[in-house]
Amino acid sequence: MDRIEPKLVTIFGGAGFVGTQIVQALAKSGHRIRVAVRRPGLAGHVKMFGSVGQIQPIQANIRNAASVQHAVRGADIVINLVGVGQSRGVQSFVAVHTDGARHIAEAAKAAGVTTLVHMSALGVDMAAGVSDYAASKLDGEVAVLKAFPTAIILRPSILFGPGDGFFNLMGMLARMLPVLPLIGGDTRFQPAYVGDVAEAFAMAAEGQVKAGKIYELGGPQIETYRDLMARIQREAGRKRPMLPIPSGIAKLLALPMSFLPFPPLLTADQVELLGVDNVVSDAAIREKRTFAAFGITPTEMDAILPSYMYRFRKRGQYDRDNAPAPIL
């Protein structure tokens, strides 16, 4: 493959779970990277992923158009990864997923950026009618393509990998709770490995897939929510009974959590999302708008989950099948 010419890349939200993986992938190709975040003082860890001066955290708030314009000035490639799981105050779904996405696309177009890659979420088109989160994400896609018609939009499923937000949370609950609540147990999911998704983003940024399209990224396994919870318990070495909870009751339970000063474990909007299948569409498979477009063979959960889920076992690493022999 021909050598990729190094570019200047601005990555909004590049200090997070997915962003750090993308930063590493692009840094290996020699690109210079601006990691645009609200608090650059908390993003110093990204500098270790490249050579001296190659990666620089900068301040940007996607709710502020002028801030976004400053962050993309002079960039060749722009990637937007910013998202919120709860709509609260100024950090509302619309402000971040729709208006913020539009600010980035408009600023990128005005600055002469050649490539824009936007992160959405798998299934937002199916869930937009019941979920404010999904509706704002879908509106964000429309706004991005209107301002920047050649933008590349990637819709990953729920992600797994060290530091992920789903499997680690469920593993913690399996360790702490005597009974695991089960909401939308028959809903299907298609978890994707964060490393595969990061590779797809890097390839899209480097122009290795067709522009102006929406790609759906799901892993090789489709499992129901109940199956995933059973898998998590196996990895955590737990045997908790699962208690099915109707969506109406789940939303009532989630209501008081929305008033807490810290991110809640569950919101009413997430309850709605748990009722909608989160899998790659038949149209995306037929049109090869999946990992196949990138030539990536998606990684199975069995290859990755054991490498970090062991910490939720009763004796941690010493409960692993390949645990080191005790020192006598």
Side-chain angles (χ1 to χ4, degrees):
M1 185 174 67
D2 294 339
R3 184 177 182 276
I4 301 296
E5 180 183 353
K7 304 285 187 179
L8 175 59
V9 186
T10 295
I11 305 179
F12 290 89
F17 174 56
V18 181
T20 52
Q21 298 280 333
I22 298 172
V23 167
Q24 292 178 68
L26 291 174
K28 287 180 182 178
S29 296
H31 300 292
R32 292 178 295 126
I33 303 168
R34 295 173 181 161
V35 177
V37 292
R38 288 191 297 160
R39 299 181 180 89
L42 301 179
H45 59 283
V46 299
K47 293 182 179 180
M48 72 177 71
F49 299 135
S51 59
V52 176
Q54 184 182 10
I55 302 168
Q56 183 63 47
I58 63 170
Q59 200 284 327
N61 187 333
I62 67 170
R63 292 185 286 104
N64 184 296
S67 170
V68 171
Q69 292 164 9
H70 175 75
V72 304
R73 189 172 299 136
D76 303 293
I77 300 166
V78 170
I79 300 174
N80 177 27
L81 307 173
V82 181
V84 291
Q86 181 192 19
S87 189
R88 175 175 286 183
V90 295
Q91 290 287 97
S92 69
F93 288 149
V94 172
V96 175
H97 298 155
T98 305
D99 296 339
R102 184 178 65 253
H103 290 159
I104 291 172
E106 290 175 348
K109 190 66 175 180
V113 168
T114 57
T115 303
L116 172 63
V117 187
H118 175 76
M119 183 176 186
S120 186
L122 188 62
V124 294
D125 51 338
M126 300 301 295
V130 297
S131 163
D132 292 338
Y133 170 90
S136 66
K137 280 283 192 179
L138 190 61
D139 288 344
E141 292 182 2
V142 173
V144 166
L145 290 173
K146 180 179 179 180
F148 203 113
T150 58
I152 299 169
I153 294 175
L154 303 187
R155 293 177 176 173
S157 182
I158 58 172
L159 301 177
F160 64 90
D164 69 55
F166 176 74
F167 289 90
N168 280 290
L169 174 60
M170 294 300 108
M172 180 186 69
L173 293 179
R175 182 176 62 187
M176 296 174 58
L177 300 180
V179 176
L180 287 176
L182 188 66
I183 305 167
D186 294 326
T187 304
R188 299 180 303 153
F189 292 86
Q190 197 170 351
Y193 175 46
V194 66
D196 296 335
V197 171
E199 183 180 354
F201 267 91
M203 293 178 68
E206 293 174 341
Q208 298 185 50
V209 292
K210 292 182 179 180
K213 293 185 175 294
I214 298 174
Y215 296 88
E216 300 183 10
L217 307 180
Q221 297 151 294
I222 296 176
E223 295 188 356
T224 66
Y225 190 74
R226 181 180 286 102
D227 292 336
L228 288 177
M229 294 301 291
R231 174 186 288 276
I232 289 166
Q233 293 213 64
R234 289 196 301 272
E235 296 294 348
R238 307 288 173 170
K239 294 182 179 180
R240 309 298 195 209
M242 289 185 279
L243 177 64
I245 299 178
S247 61
I249 295 177
K251 283 188 279 189
L252 286 176
L253 295 173
L255 181 60
M257 296 184 190
S258 63
F259 298 103
L260 298 175
F262 47 82
L265 290 176
L266 183 69
T267 67
D269 198 82
Q270 288 168 348
V271 172
E272 295 288 3
L273 284 173
L274 287 172
V276 181
D277 283 348
N278 190 258
V279 297
V280 171
S281 68
D282 291 338
I285 295 172
R286 184 172 58 253
E287 298 165 10
K288 295 185 178 179
R289 293 184 289 105
T290 64
F291 274 123
F294 301 83
I296 296 173
T297 300
T299 305
E300 294 191 359
M301 287 182 278
D302 287 338
I304 303 296
L305 290 181
S307 70
Y308 64 97
M309 291 295 289
Y310 67 84
R311 69 191 187 96
F312 300 109
R313 292 175 175 258
K314 186 176 181 179
R315 288 178 291 274
Q317 64 177 322
Y318 295 104
D319 274 347
R320 299 172 69 182
D321 294 337
N322 60 347
I327 299 175
L328 301 177

